Amino acid sequence: MRSPREEGTARAVVFPGAVTVDGVSARYVAAHGGGTVVVEPGGTKAVDALRAGLTGKGERAARQAVLTEPAECVERSTSLEPGDCPIGPDGYYWEEGAEDVVRTQESEPVLQTELAEDGTVSVTGDLDLKVTWTDVGYGEEGRMEDTCTSSFSATVDLSGASPTVGFDTSY
């Protein structure tokens, strides 16, 4: 028995006998649960609820889409406070007089992926960075270095031909 992929509850009349309700599997989302239900003549029976979850392919697609932008930002960033990146400084950097800024990703980010009931995929993570720059703001040139962890949050839309990502800039 298949039910339409719509919001809300799907109901079907079942005649006496055994009925199996299985989850559906799409490219990125699968429904888990269900099972076989035996209905006696004149009786009714409820089937265990189906719960949506990301498939392995969906999880990988969401993670890859989210990792691409921070990695590219790390490579292109020439500012201590990059305005066009989903990652930012810890908040104590100063912009005046910083030159030769180089960011290096120190480790693979730790990501948490969650599928909401409305189908929204949220990904949060932390990115460990090493930042080096030349400080020329106070008349003395000196090479500076720091390590930091930058947190980020993103929403991934898996409904199109390829995943699209929107980063939460206030995170």
Side-chain angles (χ1 to χ4, degrees):
M1 177 170 88
R2 292 190 125 180
S3 64
R5 292 181 66 186
E6 296 176 9
E7 267 188 52
T9 304
R11 295 181 184 266
V13 176
V14 178
F15 294 102
V19 176
T20 301
V21 178
D22 290 324
V24 295
S25 183
R27 190 163 115 187
Y28 294 131
V29 179
H32 306 282
T36 301
V37 178
V38 178
V39 180
E40 300 295 330
T44 60
K45 192 91 172 197
V47 178
D48 289 339
L50 296 175
R51 294 167 303 282
L54 287 175
T55 63
K57 188 173 187 173
E59 180 100 14
R60 287 187 299 277
R63 288 172 176 258
Q64 186 57 48
V66 168
L67 289 176
T68 299
E69 179 60 21
E72 289 175 358
C73 179
V74 166
E75 289 179 18
R76 74 175 182 263
S77 177
T78 59
S79 168
L80 285 177
E81 295 183 9
D84 63 340
C85 289
I87 58 173
D90 286 342
Y92 58 85
Y93 291 136
W94 58 94
E95 184 60 28
E96 186 177 327
E99 295 177 350
D100 304 321
V101 176
V102 176
R103 294 179 188 274
T104 308
Q105 186 174 322
E106 292 289 283
S107 62
E108 193 67 28
V110 176
L111 300 177
Q112 299 295 324
T113 307
E114 184 177 318
L115 178 66
E117 284 186 25
D118 67 357
T120 304
V121 180
S122 299
V123 180
T124 56
D126 295 318
L127 187 61
D128 293 326
L129 300 172
K130 179 179 178 181
V131 184
T132 58
W133 70 95
T134 302
D135 180 12
V136 294
Y138 297 105
E140 293 183 29
E141 190 171 307
R143 195 72 179 147
M144 307 291 285
E145 178 179 301
D146 197 8
T147 56
C148 65
T149 299
S150 184
S151 299
F152 57 89
S153 176
T155 302
V156 182
D157 182 356
L158 296 172
S159 64
S162 62
T164 56
V165 180
F167 284 91
D168 181 358
T169 56
S170 65
Y171 190 75

